[in-house]
Amino acid sequence: MIMFEFGGIDTVEGRTEGSLPKGINNPMILLSKTTELKNETVMVLRPSNLKNGKELSTLNETVLAIAELEENTGKEIKLTRVDLSGDSLGKMIDNKNLIRMFLECLSFRRGYCGEIFRTTKGIEKDGNLKIRTGRKKTTFYDCLDKDRRANLRAENQITDIRSDKSNREILENEFKKYLQELKGLELLIEKVEYKYIDELTDLHHKTIGKKYRTFSEFVAFVDSQGYVMTSHILRGLMKRVGIKTSYKNFTDSFKRTRKETLNFTTKTELKKMIKDLEKKLKIALKN
């Protein structure tokens, strides 16, 4: 189960006309990610570096930090990207199906419901779980190797922001839009399950007796790939392909011979995780 310790802003990207003053020394500026172009400078800023660098920043902390940087440099900074995050003491290895279901529901909400084998392959990359839809990228990744008060980070990155509003208004809007996306997200879980049942049924018909000798072999493969996120997906698949063995007998036998498999997540777990993330982000928005 994933519960969040903190929520807020990790990094932002800003653009300013011309070059930064020579010798500028501000720990918030990530110099390795700062690029001077012909007529402007693109910089990545981590406001939390002005504190201890271990916790996410609130809205007010971020706005104040950017305003102080503008005063020090004499240059206006316009935000073009913001990373809204939640930090958890949970570990990704123990919660992969929960995370995958969160990302699949988010894909549905954003209007993307692609073929699952391509989608899941895209979700897991370089040890991270992620989706990219348009100008938004949502990633879960382990941060044990970083100096943070967390084991796992859930990061929602919004890029290519183009707005004439103030930086405060830009950040407020992105907070509110993400919170709106999260609201009732768990209600989409059945749509995700139906999609997986449909496509796994089709895959079973194409491969059983050819690539996989038995239904158990087939389930072992699709479970290892992260396709069997909930018990309802397995129940629906069994019904569709005509498995006569009872669900309980099948799962009991399956788990006896294959340890640490069929680690289902539930709608309740997903709802609790989402509500907690919403709560932590609302605290960061108000402070």
Side-chain angles (χ1 to χ4, degrees), residues 63-103:
V63 171
L64 179 60
I66 294 171
E68 290 179 348
L69 182 59
E70 288 179 322
E71 184 176 349
N72 292 338
T73 60
K75 292 179 175 291
E76 181 184 14
I77 298 169
K78 291 299 295 182
L79 293 182
T80 55
R81 191 193 95 198
V82 57
D83 299 350
L84 301 177
S85 302
D87 281 352
S88 173
L89 294 177
K91 296 182 179 180
M92 187 158 65
I93 193 171
D94 300 323
N95 296 281
K96 281 195 170 184
N97 282 337
L98 173 59
I99 295 169
R100 285 192 179 102
M101 182 56 76
F102 173 89
L103 293 174

Side-chain angles (χ1 to χ4, degrees), residues 10-12 20 23-34 43-54 57 65-66 68-69 72-73:
D10 177 31
T11 54
V12 297
L20 292 174
I24 184 72
N25 183 20
N26 187 307
M28 181 171 67
I29 303 174
L30 303 184
L31 294 175
S32 64
K33 298 183 179 181
T34 294
M43 66 187 84
V44 177
L45 310 172
R46 179 168 290 134
S48 65
N49 283 353
L50 299 179
K51 303 189 295 179
N52 55 28
K54 297 181 180 181
S57 298
I66 294 171
E68 290 179 348
L69 182 59
N72 292 338
T73 60

Side-chain angles (χ1 to χ4, degrees), residues 13 22 34 41 43 148 181 203 233 261-263 271:
E13 181 184 89
K22 297 298 181 183
T34 294
T41 298
M43 66 187 84
R148 295 176 185 162
E181 282 189 323
L203 180 64
I233 292 175
T261 56
L262 300 181
N263 298 310
K271 184 175 182 178

Side-chain angles (χ1 to χ4, degrees), residues 94-158:
D94 300 323
N95 296 281
K96 281 195 170 184
N97 282 337
L98 173 59
I99 295 169
R100 285 192 179 102
M101 182 56 76
F102 173 89
L103 293 174
E104 284 284 16
C105 289
L106 197 59
S107 290
F108 256 100
R109 174 139 293 172
R110 292 175 178 174
Y112 178 78
C113 49
E115 190 265 333
I116 68 171
F117 311 116
R118 182 177 65 251
T119 303
T120 304
K121 185 177 180 181
I123 282 177
E124 187 156 8
K125 184 177 181 182
D126 303 326
N128 300 331
L129 295 171
K130 65 178 71 177
I131 58 165
R132 182 187 290 275
T133 50
R135 66 187 187 93
K136 301 175 183 178
K137 181 174 71 173
T138 305
T139 306
F140 283 75
Y141 62 89
D142 287 319
C143 51
L144 294 168
D145 60 331
K146 304 181 185 297
D147 189 18
R148 295 176 185 162
R149 297 177 181 174
N151 296 323
L152 174 71
R153 173 162 288 183
E155 180 178 275
N156 188 60
Q157 184 180 99
I158 306 100

